[in-house]
Amino acid sequence: MSKVAVITGGGQGIGRAAAIRYAEAGYAVSICDIDKEAGQEVIREIRNKGGQALFLRADTGVPAELEHWLRLTRSDLGSIDVLINNAGIGRSAPFLELKLEDWDRVLAVNLRGAFAASQYAARIMRDQGTGGAIINIASTRALMSEAGTEAYSASKGGILALTHAMAISLGPFGIRVNAVSPGWIETGDWQLSSRSVTPYHSEQDRLQHPVGRVGVPDDIAKACLYLSGPDAGFITGQNLVIDGGMTVKMIYE
Ligand code: NAD
């Protein structure tokens, strides 16, 4: 039977690329998203290529919906072996004006949702007795900032701390937990097909990356696949920054 990867926010962007990459690698894939049309489009694409895929509309800000999605996945696909906590939102606002309800929503979707999905999935992994892998999608904004990004940055900083805490708690069950921190990843061409746009990047956009380009969703998807597979069996509690070198570049201008 195929291993099963579950991905939050799998309808578009990085989550969509991960769903397709895992399906190509032979996993059965289950995604949740708040965008029904996008989620259904992804599973249609996977099924058309002969893969096994499931979609349920679930909001990571609503723990009961996550639990329902994961239970359904377990009963329909047979197991849960990999969880990618990918769904994430931002609410940029000047610090002095950020509304508490926006802070709460960002933290609920990005951080509490990752905790809740991990707890439900880890219980299932523990009962299976075959171990597992959890990948939390953080951000380079967990480590550095522009103005007005407090809620998003705090949620991603929380993701990094959650990652090492869970790595310790879940180690005894054979569950490895790692974070991936993307830098600038262009997702314009990985949206629902009717909304998809051809990306444009200026020379300056490209040159601020030591590797000479902006990232693509598959840069992150491939890293997730590696971190969740047997070649990464000695890696847990880590944060892999994937940003084309942007955050290690000094700027004296
Ligand atoms: P995206 O907006 O392209 O796709 C996100 C998907 O998640 C969408 O399909 C959306 O409908 C879904 N989603 C949003 N809120 C949800 C919720 N409450 N429950 C379930 N699904 C929900 O975003 P992306 O750029 O692919 O980002 C994916 C992850 O990567 C996020 O956690 C984001 O913070 C992180 N990230 C992205 C970048 C980047 O440059 N793209 C950089 C750093 C971190």
Side-chain angles (χ1 to χ4, degrees):
M1 208 156 63
S2 303
K3 288 200 172 226
V4 177
V6 300
I7 304 167
T8 65
Q12 296 171 108
I14 292 167
R16 186 183 185 110
I20 288 164
R21 171 66 57 184
Y22 273 77
E24 282 170 0
Y27 283 78
V29 174
S30 174
I31 61 175
C32 79
D33 205 290
I34 48 172
D35 189 321
K36 203 169 167 186
E37 222 183 326
Q40 285 172 341
E41 192 177 70
V42 173
I43 63 161
R44 246 194 332 270
E45 181 175 338
I46 292 172
R47 288 175 180 168
N48 285 345
K49 290 182 191 157
Q52 208 180 349
L54 190 145
F55 165 72
L56 199 74
R57 193 208 168 277
D59 181 336
T60 60
V62 184
E65 294 185 6
L66 286 172
E67 188 173 21
H68 176 60
W69 164 57
L70 292 168
R71 278 179 194 278
L72 190 93
T73 297
R74 170 79 201 277
S75 66
D76 276 25
L77 299 179
S79 67
I80 292 180
D81 304 288
V82 176
L83 163 67
I84 305 181
N85 284 308
N86 164 75
I89 56 167
R91 291 272 196 283
S92 294
F95 176 75
L96 299 178
E97 282 154 37
L98 178 65
K99 293 191 177 70
L100 273 180
E101 67 237 43
D102 286 338
W103 167 274
D104 285 346
R105 175 69 181 158
V106 171
L107 271 287
V109 168
N110 296 7
L111 183 56
R112 191 186 65 185
F115 164 73
S118 298
Q119 195 180 52
Y120 300 136
R123 287 179 183 148
I124 292 170
M125 290 172 181
R126 175 202 57 194
D127 294 347
Q128 288 168 183
T130 49
I134 297 176
I135 318 272
N136 295 321
I137 304 298
S139 169
T140 48
R141 288 174 189 267
L143 307 169
M144 60 196 304
S145 293
E146 291 175 300
T149 59
E150 279 72 18
Y152 183 80
S153 296
S155 75
K156 295 301 186 177
I159 284 281
L160 294 191
L162 180 67
T163 298
H164 62 70
M166 288 200 304
I168 303 304
S169 300
L170 297 176
F173 304 109
I175 301 170
R176 294 182 301 99
V177 186
N178 289 290
V180 170
S181 284
W184 179 358
I185 306 297
E186 172 61 59
T187 61
D189 48 347
W190 282 83
Q191 302 300 306
L192 176 70
S193 55
S194 57
R195 285 199 291 265
S196 175
V197 292
T198 306
Y200 166 78
H201 299 119
S202 68
E203 190 66 358
Q204 196 189 356
D205 295 338
R206 288 191 285 275
L207 290 182
Q208 63 182 305
H209 295 81
V211 301
R213 68 169 173 87
V214 172
V216 296
D218 211 32
D219 290 324
I220 308 304
K222 283 189 280 195
C224 292
L225 194 59
Y226 165 69
L227 283 173
S228 61
D231 289 347
F234 200 51
I235 306 177
T236 195
Q238 300 306 304
N239 174 36
L240 180 57
V241 174
I242 303 178
D243 67 347
M246 202 186 203
T247 53
V248 294
K249 187 175 179 185
M250 280 186 174
I251 297 173
Y252 287 94
E253 281 168 359

